[in-house]
């Protein structure tokens, strides 16, 4: 199922099939030092799509480090700062030569942003020398706007080290990126417009189009369609521009290649969710992993970034460590307001199946499924058209459930508790997990089609997703 890009419709025939997921705790990065002379050191364009996962920390989607003799602190980069603003700047001989820092904040962890930086320092008008576009619109509202002097070097396409996913300065890496990147173009020698890479659809939403131009000597195009770890055309950092400017791969693996893109925006967990109950635990792997520890009675929820009011949907959750691991479906807004655990409330505004196989809701527990063991994969099929939900473990639907049974609801959760009201309120329903342990450790690896763990079989919803088990007929990622 193609989800909208920041609220719009799918792209007009041009689909981006893959992205690269960066987990900051993995120290993941791509890097290259070009061996050829650049087409221009005064003119160039960078275009990429980005989906953030962690906010409030300085993170570098890309960074150039010249390491000139006597100027070890020189660098040119684009980064999200600690206030979640986007900044592009060049530092030379210890001083900032030019900088554009937005007033706009980038805090939507469920959205893809398209960023274009277009530079031509030969221009006579200062503001034309460096242009920044976000989702098809040129940024003009800046916290800081210091433009290059005429004919300044831009330090982007020289024979210097370029890193993607991290900054590098004075011998150390810093500011690892956490999130997703896709459709990364670098154009050496041309200052292009945003319309070379995207367009507005009929609903006024910015979507990608295929770039058909040239790249110059040290330009590149990263599609992230390969899974190898070598610096070649089979590697994760393969350049498909025709220049063979392939990137070296560090601390990235095949599981970091996902189908979560700007034309097929998958759900993740939402780190901005806060409840009146506990909010412990950590997020990882592009917000597809939720980890709890025994320290300080660590427990809390993990809610999906998308909720639904109609349709049929499928997802999986691998649980490496069970402890008191629970998964369910509920009204995120209502549950966030509870000061105690949701299953002790009446009405609970949702339900979950716990680690012992009981359905918990409305302050009651009903026997339903088998107990969980470490590394089990939980399956959920949500039929919002008939207000039914089905729960499975390792390929077997519990209670002989049949997700294709429609209004009959054979073996579904609501039949067991004789209550469809949780799914019939008109409010969006969200997948969630909950760790209820104050001493053990529960871990959840969520797969909405963009699994953060290795898949042994590989199943789709007919077109999208990468699942361990086949989604039921008519259900979508």
């Amino acid at each position: 199922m193609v989800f909208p890009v920041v609220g719009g419709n799918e792209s007009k025939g041009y689909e981006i099939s893959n992205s690269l997921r960066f987990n900051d705790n993995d120290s993941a990065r791509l890097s290259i030092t070009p061996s050829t002379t650049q087409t221009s050191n005064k003119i160039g364009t960078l275009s990429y799509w980005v989906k953030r996962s962690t906010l409030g920390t300085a993170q570098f989607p890309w960074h150039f480090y010249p390491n000139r003799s006597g100027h070890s602190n020189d660098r040119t980069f684009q980064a999200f700062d600690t206030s979640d603003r986007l900044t592009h700047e060049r530092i030379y001989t210890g001083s900032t030569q030019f900088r554009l820092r937005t007033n706009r904040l980038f805090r939507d962890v469920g959205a893809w942003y398209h960023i274009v930086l277009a530079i031509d320092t030969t221009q006579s008008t200062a503001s034309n020398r460096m242009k920044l576009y976000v989702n098809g619109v040129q940024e003009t509202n800046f916290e800081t706007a210091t433009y290059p002097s005429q004919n300044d070097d831009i330090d982007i396409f020289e024979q210097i080290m370029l890193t993607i996913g991290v900054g590098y300065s004075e011998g150390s890496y810093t500011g690892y990126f956490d999130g997703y990147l896709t459709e990364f173009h670098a154009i050496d020698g041309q200052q292009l417009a945003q319309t070379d890479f995207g367009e507005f659809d009929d609903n006024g939403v910015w979507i990608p189009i295929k770039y058909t131009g040239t790249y110059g000597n040290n330009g590149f195009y990263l599609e992230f369609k390969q899974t190898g770890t070598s610096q070649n055309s089979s590697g994760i950092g393969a350049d498909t521009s025709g220049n063979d400017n392939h990137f070296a791969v560090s601390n990235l693996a095949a599981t970091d290649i996902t189908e979560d893109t700007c034309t097929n925006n998958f759900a993740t967990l939402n780190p901005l969710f806060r409840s009146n109950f506990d909010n412990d635990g950590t997020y990882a792997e592009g917000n597809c992993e939720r980890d709890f520890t025994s320290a300080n009675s660590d427990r809390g929820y993990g809610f999906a970034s998308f909720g639904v009011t109609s349709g049929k949907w499928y997802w999986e959750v691998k649980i490496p460590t069970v402890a008191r691991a629970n998964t369910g479906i509920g009204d995120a807004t209502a549950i966030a307001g509870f000061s105690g655990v949701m299953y002790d409330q009446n009405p609970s505004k949702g339900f979950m199946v716990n680690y012992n196989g009981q359905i918990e809701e409305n302050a009651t527990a009903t026997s339903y499924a088998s107990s969980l063991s470490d590394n089990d994969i939980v399956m959920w099929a949500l039929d919002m058209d008939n207000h039914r939900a089905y729960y499975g473990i390792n390929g077997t639907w519990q209670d002989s459930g049949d997700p294709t049974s429609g209004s009959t609801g054979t073996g579904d959760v609501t039949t067991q508790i004789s209550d469809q009201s949780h799914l019939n309120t008109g409010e969006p329903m969200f997948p969630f997990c909950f760790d209820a342990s104050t001493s053990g450790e529960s871990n959840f690896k969520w797969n909405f089609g963009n699994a953060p763990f290795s898949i042994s079989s590989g199943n789709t919803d007919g077109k999208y997703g990468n699942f361990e088990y086949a989604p039921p007929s008519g259900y979508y990622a």
Side-chain angles (χ1 to χ4, degrees):
M1 180 67 178
V2 176
F3 273 96
V5 181
V6 203
N9 286 343
E10 65 181 281
S11 120
K12 297 177 183 176
Y14 183 62
E15 291 195 24
I16 311 302
S17 60
N18 294 97
S19 70
L20 181 57
R21 175 170 49 211
F22 290 83
N23 184 45
D24 56 356
N25 290 331
D26 292 341
S27 300
R29 64 186 182 273
L30 300 173
S31 60
I32 189 174
T33 301
S35 59
T36 57
T37 301
Q38 72 274 10
T39 301
S40 173
N41 200 24
K42 303 181 189 304
I43 306 172
T45 304
L46 291 173
S47 168
Y48 63 96
W49 289 79
V50 58
K51 179 177 175 179
R52 303 193 68 194
S53 295
T54 297
L55 306 180
T57 64
Q59 298 184 348
F60 292 81
W62 57 264
H63 186 285
F64 289 87
Y65 180 66
N67 193 24
R68 297 183 182 93
S69 176
H71 303 290
S72 61
N73 200 35
D74 290 359
R75 55 197 186 277
T76 301
F77 60 86
Q78 205 160 89
F80 296 102
D81 67 14
T82 55
S83 297
D84 302 312
R85 297 169 299 189
L86 180 65
T87 183
H88 172 78
E89 55 191 272
R90 180 195 186 215
I91 296 175
Y92 180 69
T93 65
S95 300
T96 299
Q97 297 297 103
F98 48 77
R99 173 188 290 161
L100 293 183
R101 177 177 289 163
T102 66
N103 280 314
R104 178 199 292 255
L105 304 180
F106 294 78
R107 289 177 172 167
D108 189 345
V109 294
W112 281 91
Y113 299 100
H114 182 219
I115 310 297
V116 175
L117 175 73
I119 302 180
D120 180 356
T121 66
T122 69
Q123 296 279 341
S124 59
T125 301
S127 60
N128 288 335
R129 296 173 196 150
M130 187 163 64
K131 300 177 182 180
L132 183 65
Y133 302 90
V134 178
N135 293 340
V137 178
Q138 185 174 354
E139 288 288 300
T140 57
N141 186 1
F142 293 105
E143 184 267 346
T144 302
T146 305
Y147 292 94
S149 298
Q150 192 168 22
N151 294 314
D152 263 355
D153 288 343
I154 60 176
D155 281 356
I156 292 182
F157 297 101
E158 284 190 71
Q159 292 168 270
I160 58 179
M161 184 173 71
L162 161 63
T163 57
I164 292 178
V166 67
Y168 183 83
S169 180
E170 299 180 288
S172 63
Y173 293 98
T174 184
Y176 282 95
F177 177 65
D178 202 60
Y180 303 78
L181 295 174
T182 192
E183 195 71 357
F184 203 124
H185 296 275
I187 316 299
D188 179 7
Q190 300 176 70
Q191 184 188 41
L192 300 178
Q194 80 282 26
T195 50
D196 286 290
F197 308 98
E199 66 182 5
F200 288 102
D201 70 6
D202 294 339
N203 293 316
V205 175
W206 187 251
I207 58 175
I209 60 173
K210 184 175 179 61
Y211 172 67
T212 57
T214 58
Y215 288 85
N217 290 350
N218 287 340
F220 56 85
Y221 176 31
L222 304 181
E223 296 184 85
F224 306 121
K225 290 184 176 182
Q226 305 298 324
T227 58
T229 56
S230 297
Q231 191 174 1
N232 56 32
S233 60
S234 298
I236 290 171
D239 167 28
T240 56
S241 71
N243 284 344
D244 289 333
N245 289 322
H246 307 304
F247 282 69
V249 180
S250 299
N251 302 317
L252 290 160
T255 53
D256 296 314
I257 299 295
T258 86
E259 293 182 8
D260 189 342
T261 75
C262 50
T263 59
N264 186 35
N265 191 13
F266 281 106
T268 63
L269 296 180
N270 183 4
L272 303 181
F273 175 85
R274 292 292 182 271
S275 78
N276 287 337
F277 188 60
D278 287 351
N279 292 292
D280 298 320
T282 58
Y283 294 87
E285 298 297 338
N287 294 331
C288 289
E289 186 172 326
R290 189 82 163 103
D291 297 320
F292 298 89
T293 68
S294 58
N296 301 318
S297 301
D298 201 1
R299 57 184 180 174
Y301 295 100
F303 269 83
S305 55
F306 296 160
V308 293
T309 57
S310 62
K312 298 179 181 180
W313 312 99
Y314 176 81
W315 63 91
E316 298 173 346
V317 189
K318 185 173 183 177
I319 305 180
T321 306
V322 172
R324 295 184 66 185
N326 315 288
T327 60
I329 299 164
D331 180 339
T333 302
I335 292 173
F338 295 151
S339 57
V341 292
M342 54 82 60
Y343 53 77
D344 283 341
Q345 313 300 312
N346 191 0
S348 59
K349 297 295 185 178
F351 51 81
M352 67 183 198
V353 179
N354 69 20
Y355 57 99
N356 281 327
Q358 296 173 311
I359 305 168
E360 293 196 81
E361 49 85 47
N362 290 358
T364 62
T366 304
S367 296
Y368 173 66
S370 300
S371 298
L372 293 175
S373 299
D374 289 353
N375 292 310
D376 280 346
I377 295 179
V378 166
M379 311 141 59
W380 279 97
L382 174 60
D383 180 355
M384 286 298 289
D385 295 335
N386 293 292
H387 313 299
R388 305 288 186 180
Y390 303 84
Y391 175 87
I393 304 173
N394 299 333
T396 300
W397 295 107
Q398 301 297 285
D399 198 32
S400 301
D402 180 5
T404 65
S405 58
S407 60
T408 303
T410 302
D412 86 298
V413 175
T414 69
T415 299
Q416 281 292 337
I417 59 179
S418 300
D419 187 359
Q420 288 182 279
S421 63
H422 298 301
L423 302 180
N424 200 19
T425 65
E427 296 298 321
M429 290 291 111
F430 291 77
F432 73 87
C433 60
F434 177 68
D435 173 68
S437 178
T438 58
S439 58
E441 300 181 5
S442 297
N443 306 107
F444 304 86
K445 292 179 180 285
W446 281 76
N447 181 13
F448 295 101
N450 49 350
F453 53 89
S454 296
I455 298 294
S456 63
S457 50
N459 294 281
T460 71
D461 63 11
K463 185 175 183 181
Y464 299 105
N466 185 24
F467 296 104
E468 185 66 39
Y469 303 102
S473 178
Y475 285 75
Y476 296 96

